[in-house]
Amino acid sequence: MTDQDLVTGDLVLCTVGSYEPWPAVVVPQRVLSDSVLSAKENDQQVAVAFFNDATYYWTRPKQLKRLSEGDIKSWIKSPPKRSSKELKKAYHFASEYSTLQEFVQDRLTLEGRVDDLEEISEIEMGEDPLIAPPVDVDEPEELEKPASKKRGRRHHADSDTEDNDETVNNGNGNGNKAKQKQQQTQKSKPKQAPKNAAVKKSSSPLSPDLKKTADSSQDFNSTLTSSVSDIQQQQQPPPKKRTKLDYTRRVEIAQIFRNKLQKCLIQRDTPPTEADLAESEKLIRKIQSHAKSSPEFFDLEALKISKLHKLLKVIKNMPELSQFHDSCTEILDIWAPHVQQIKKEKLTLKDQLSQ
């Protein structure tokens, strides 16, 4: 493959050392992290991101082989006998590949770089993969002036922490005033007895009027305590109250669900740990509890963009994840109308492109 033939968004087969040829996507360099960019050896290399693998690889275009949709289907239909499970999953994810924009969004979300998505402009297929990101040249910053000795001087050993905290919190040079105000407030407050201190009873008998007042006060305190107890019981949430998800962020949340499940159960070199299985069970239960919500949380748009239904189908077809099969089946049955609509729209789009 020549440099002119290769563009970002292309599906390719990449061979690394003695490993099997692996399906990957040619990605633009501007979406890569600094650590990945630092591994680039020369300007003639392009970056590829592997399916079912969190790593990247720098190589020359001539070392890559184009991977068509027909090649992927043929491989999945009759894979080589010695193909690993990870490679089979990689081809399965490659068959679901639609746009570079969605692939990069999923990858950056999985890497914990959601904030970087805001700084990256719209990612379109067809860019030159050899274009390096612009280098930012920062202007030299002025050296900070040393802090005044008078400002940092501590007067008393007992007030070191208080002086320092107040000055930092205020940030306007009024730390001592705040401290004085605090001391004055503390002086004005009456001293309270320790919480567990015993209260001495008065040895002198109460007069009839004072006794009556004390009895009324006890009745009032008893009534007040009972009322506060009733209010606290009313304010306590029910034991099985369901946490609501933000409906306005349903697409983003659906993508997060997919990325977390994919990381815990699918994109792994080793079997899931007990912690991964427990986390996945919580996520699937949360999806299941919101599958029939009103208004609909996982609507057509959320499923179309996140492709969460495809991941649940993969989990359902993996024998080693049998503990999740029933839940995934129930959720997919609820989403069946949306899944059919997505397939219908995809076929219509293919027909339009073929004309």
Side-chain angles (χ1 to χ4, degrees):
M1 183 180 295
T2 62
D3 297 359
Q4 290 77 13
D5 295 336
L6 194 67
V7 294
T8 58
D10 283 346
L11 295 182
V12 293
L13 274 178
C14 180
T15 304
V16 180
S18 59
Y19 288 95
E20 307 166 276
W22 210 273
V25 181
V26 181
V27 294
Q29 298 184 27
R30 59 189 175 90
V31 305
L32 302 176
S33 63
D34 293 339
S35 59
V36 176
L37 288 171
S38 63
K40 181 181 176 182
E41 296 180 354
N42 57 67
D43 295 337
Q44 301 303 316
Q45 290 182 326
V46 299
V48 298
F50 295 105
F51 287 101
N52 194 35
D53 191 289
T55 59
Y56 298 84
Y57 188 67
W58 291 97
T59 186
R60 290 178 177 271
K62 64 180 181 180
Q63 303 295 332
L64 301 172
K65 180 182 178 182
R66 189 179 299 278
L67 188 63
S68 65
E69 185 177 351
D71 296 334
I72 297 174
K73 290 181 178 179
S74 299
W75 194 98
I76 294 176
K77 187 176 181 180
S78 57
K81 293 182 180 180
R82 296 184 179 181
S83 301
S84 63
K85 292 182 179 180
E86 288 74 18
L87 182 58
K88 292 178 181 179
K89 294 175 186 177
Y91 268 93
H92 182 83
F93 286 126
S95 67
E96 296 181 347
Y97 174 79
S98 56
T99 65
L100 181 62
Q101 178 80 27
E102 293 181 4
F103 179 86
V104 172
Q105 285 179 347
D106 290 345
R107 179 58 69 99
L108 266 60
T109 303
L110 189 64
E111 295 173 0
R113 298 170 55 205
V114 179
D115 295 339
D116 293 347
L117 288 172
E118 300 178 359
E119 301 177 3
I120 299 173
S121 58
E122 186 175 354
I123 305 167
E124 297 182 355
M125 303 171 67
E127 297 179 6
D128 185 354
L130 294 173
I131 297 178
V135 179
D136 295 333
V137 180
D138 298 331
E139 295 182 359
E141 298 180 356
E142 295 182 1
L143 296 177
E144 295 182 359
K145 296 181 179 180
S148 172
K149 293 183 179 180
K150 183 178 179 181
R151 198 172 195 175
R153 186 167 55 216
R154 296 176 177 175
H155 301 286
H156 302 287
D158 295 338
S159 61
D160 284 351
T161 305
E162 292 180 3
D163 286 347
N164 191 24
D165 290 343
E166 288 295 335
T167 303
V168 171
N169 290 336
N170 291 329
N172 54 9
N174 295 329
N176 293 330
K177 292 182 179 179
K179 180 188 171 186
Q180 293 173 4
K181 185 177 181 181
Q182 182 181 5
Q183 291 176 347
Q184 291 174 1
T185 305
Q186 290 177 351
K187 289 181 181 178
S188 62
K189 289 183 179 179
K191 293 184 178 180
Q192 296 180 355
K195 197 170 185 181
N196 297 327
V199 180
K200 294 184 179 180
K201 294 184 180 180
S202 175
S203 58
S204 59
L206 295 175
S207 64
D209 294 337
L210 291 177
K211 187 175 185 302
K212 184 176 180 181
T213 304
D215 293 339
S216 300
S217 177
Q218 290 178 359
D219 294 340
F220 174 76
N221 290 335
S222 177
T223 304
L224 179 61
T225 303
S226 177
S227 301
V228 171
S229 178
D230 293 340
I231 293 174
Q232 289 177 346
Q233 290 179 359
Q234 294 176 1
Q235 291 178 346
Q236 289 180 354
K240 294 184 179 180
K241 186 176 180 180
R242 188 179 69 184
T243 305
K244 293 184 178 180
L245 299 178
D246 188 354
Y247 180 78
T248 59
R249 298 176 57 237
R250 61 191 183 280
V251 175
E252 178 186 352
I253 292 174
Q255 289 178 316
I256 293 174
F257 273 122
R258 176 186 171 173
N259 292 331
K260 286 186 176 181
L261 284 172
Q262 191 168 305
K263 184 178 181 180
C264 288
L265 301 178
I266 307 299
Q267 289 186 340
R268 305 182 56 86
D269 296 330
T270 58
T273 63
E274 293 183 2
D276 293 327
L277 294 174
E279 176 67 16
S280 301
E281 185 177 356
K282 291 180 182 179
L283 293 171
I284 291 178
R285 279 206 307 264
K286 181 71 71 173
I287 296 172
Q288 195 172 11
S289 65
H290 286 78
K292 293 183 179 180
S293 61
S294 180
E296 194 173 25
F297 190 85
F298 296 103
D299 57 5
L300 181 63
E301 181 185 9
L303 295 180
K304 187 187 300 184
I305 296 176
S306 69
K307 295 181 175 58
L308 182 58
H309 59 286
K310 290 188 175 182
L311 180 62
L312 295 187
K313 188 176 180 181
V314 172
I315 296 174
K316 177 185 172 184
N317 293 331
M318 296 179 65
E320 60 269 31
L321 299 177
S322 58
Q323 65 267 44
F324 305 115
H325 288 182
D326 292 341
S327 299
C328 290
T329 300
E330 181 181 342
I331 297 171
L332 290 172
D333 288 342
I334 298 173
W335 292 348
H338 291 324
V339 175
Q340 292 297 328
Q341 180 64 25
I342 293 172
K343 290 181 178 178
K344 184 178 179 181
E345 292 179 2
K346 188 175 181 179
L347 291 174
T348 303
L349 181 60
K350 284 186 176 180
D351 292 340
Q352 293 176 351
L353 294 175
S354 61
Q355 291 178 357

